[in-house]
Amino acid sequence: MSEEWGSKKLGLPEDGRYDSGLAESVQSLQEESVLTFHVAPEERSPKSDSASRPLYGDQFCEVPDPERIDSSYESVSLTESLPQTCLPPSGAPGTGSQDSEQPDSLMYLSEDGDTLLHLSVIHSIPQLSLYLISLVPKDVLDIQNDLYQSALHLAVYLAQVEVVEALLQKDINMELQDRKGDTALHLACEKEHLDCAKILLRGPRGPQNLQLQNWKGLSCLHVATLKRNPALVSLLLESGADINSQEGTSGKTPLHLAVEMLDRSLLLHLLQHRPTVDAFMYNGCTPLHLAVGRKDAGLARLLCQAGADILQRNREGTPQKTWQRATTSSLPFSPLMI
């Protein structure tokens, strides 16, 4: 973030903060807060009380005092509490007509690095979010707050499909990563927001780099696999994700992850996409080694039927020898399964 943006602040009540963290923001917004919009001192009317009547465009908004607005996601919608003058004017872009006015207050940042667009997304005011998106340039839409979240991160996290679509139409950067290294598509997979994922994958320039990993070494496909969501897995694979991609910590492919979770249906789903059945982890283990190590004859049999090599060695030997040492039951392998 440039020094210019870092030096700008959006005036907020001293007794309230806006924390736009993904998990943290939901918790913080359960507390009472007031959303206010301010402009530079020289732009205020000499006769107005700027402490209680923040400016939105060329209109003032009366804010209840001392009562505070409850902006919790799960209780009262902020749009029901704010006066109509705080919402986009009827002639605003995104509301059916045109408005060329661009309030200077749109260019301020909060103490947490949030733009007004961040705040409108957090408070679930899509009409205001669409209005702001229509006004500000792309570089403003790409601003990340102190938690490295862009407006797109927040809109995806909160499943605000209209806002996600509007942001992508402005050709924003879809590969921005938050403090955990997650892109917006990572969040769509983590929260299992299939509609948002579809929009992100058909972006104006196509999908993002699907090999991009977060700070845990997980690509979007790894996240979708760990969520055991076959629809997301198929969507990512059809969009170009590599089914044999290795996560960054131990080299597991999605096939390894499915075996590790002992998920038979997910394993079958992945096998339909023809992965490399004998893919190696960094320690030399194949998915069959993991299945045998967990004494799961059913998963081992499925892998053998898909062509897994029972004589492939790792540090502990072949899957066949490992099974013989681990159990006295009949071996689940036969020449007919290979």
Side-chain angles (χ1 to χ4, degrees):
M1 186 179 296
S2 66
E3 294 181 359
E4 179 184 357
W5 283 105
S7 63
K8 295 180 179 180
K9 301 291 182 180
L10 172 65
L12 294 175
E14 295 182 357
D15 61 345
R17 293 188 59 188
Y18 296 103
D19 180 3
S20 63
L22 295 181
E24 294 93 334
S25 64
V26 176
Q27 179 180 359
S28 67
L29 285 172
Q30 291 175 348
E31 301 175 357
E32 294 181 331
S33 60
V34 180
L35 178 62
T36 60
F37 305 94
H38 294 266
V39 294
E42 60 271 20
E43 297 177 347
R44 295 174 182 152
S45 171
K47 297 181 181 181
S48 66
D49 181 3
S50 59
S52 62
R53 302 179 66 201
L55 182 66
Y56 183 85
D58 58 355
Q59 297 175 312
F60 285 93
C61 307
E62 296 292 346
V63 178
D65 186 31
E67 296 295 330
R68 304 182 64 190
I69 298 171
D70 181 1
S71 59
S72 171
Y73 292 130
E74 299 179 356
S75 57
V76 180
S77 170
L78 191 61
T79 55
E80 298 175 0
S81 302
L82 283 176
Q84 288 298 313
T85 53
C86 286
L87 298 176
S90 58
T95 61
S97 55
Q98 300 297 321
D99 189 324
S100 59
E101 184 176 358
Q102 186 170 352
D104 292 340
S105 58
L106 295 178
M107 311 304 286
Y108 283 83
L109 298 178
S110 75
E111 62 182 12
D112 295 317
D114 293 312
T115 65
L116 292 184
L117 179 57
H118 283 91
L119 296 175
S120 68
V121 173
I122 291 170
H123 287 272
S124 297
I125 316 177
Q127 185 184 19
L128 177 57
S129 297
L130 296 175
Y131 175 60
L132 295 173
I133 291 169
S134 71
L135 289 181
V136 298
K138 173 184 176 298
D139 57 344
V140 177
L141 298 177
D142 282 336
I143 288 177
Q144 294 170 274
N145 61 22
D146 292 351
L147 297 178
Y148 296 94
Q149 300 153 347
S150 66
L152 182 61
H153 283 102
L154 297 171
V156 169
Y157 182 83
L158 295 172
Q160 296 178 12
V161 176
E162 285 183 301
V163 177
V164 174
E165 287 183 314
L167 285 168
L168 291 188
Q169 288 175 5
K170 297 294 284 280
D171 195 25
I172 61 171
N173 186 351
M174 296 191 296
E175 296 187 1
L176 294 175
Q177 294 172 276
D178 64 16
R179 63 172 180 171
K180 296 181 180 179
D182 289 325
T183 65
L185 187 56
H186 279 89
L187 292 177
C189 295
E190 175 65 31
K191 302 302 293 183
E192 301 185 76
H193 293 159
L194 187 61
D195 289 340
C196 288
K198 289 179 179 177
I199 295 170
L200 292 168
L201 288 168
R202 66 167 188 261
R205 298 186 182 181
Q208 67 178 52
N209 175 11
L210 295 177
Q211 294 297 103
L212 196 61
Q213 297 182 344
N214 62 19
W215 307 152
K216 292 182 179 180
L218 301 176
S219 70
C220 296
L221 181 58
H222 295 127
V223 175
T225 302
L226 289 171
K227 299 302 291 187
R228 307 183 188 212
N229 191 315
L232 272 174
V233 168
S234 292
L235 180 64
L236 290 165
L237 292 174
E238 292 166 2
S239 300
D242 181 5
I243 194 170
N244 297 313
S245 61
Q246 295 176 289
E247 49 86 25
T249 58
S250 56
K252 297 185 183 77
T253 67
L255 208 59
H256 286 93
L257 295 175
V259 173
E260 194 171 55
M261 294 186 292
L262 302 179
D263 193 321
R264 176 185 174 88
S265 62
L266 182 59
L267 180 62
L268 282 169
H269 185 76
L270 290 169
L271 288 173
Q272 292 175 0
H273 291 274
R274 300 185 179 278
T276 300
V277 182
D278 289 322
F280 293 108
M281 292 171 54
Y282 298 150
N283 63 4
C285 287
T286 65
L288 184 56
H289 284 106
L290 297 184
V292 169
R294 286 159 176 74
K295 302 180 182 180
D296 194 311
L299 295 182
R301 187 175 293 108
L302 286 175
L303 290 166
C304 287
Q305 291 172 340
D309 185 356
I310 66 174
L311 299 178
Q312 185 67 56
R313 300 186 65 87
N314 67 357
R315 297 174 182 176
E316 299 179 357
T318 66
Q320 187 176 37
K321 294 294 184 183
T322 302
W323 184 271
Q324 289 173 337
R325 291 195 303 267
T327 180
T328 58
S329 61
S330 58
L331 198 66
F333 312 117
S334 77
L336 296 177
M337 298 180 180
I338 301 175

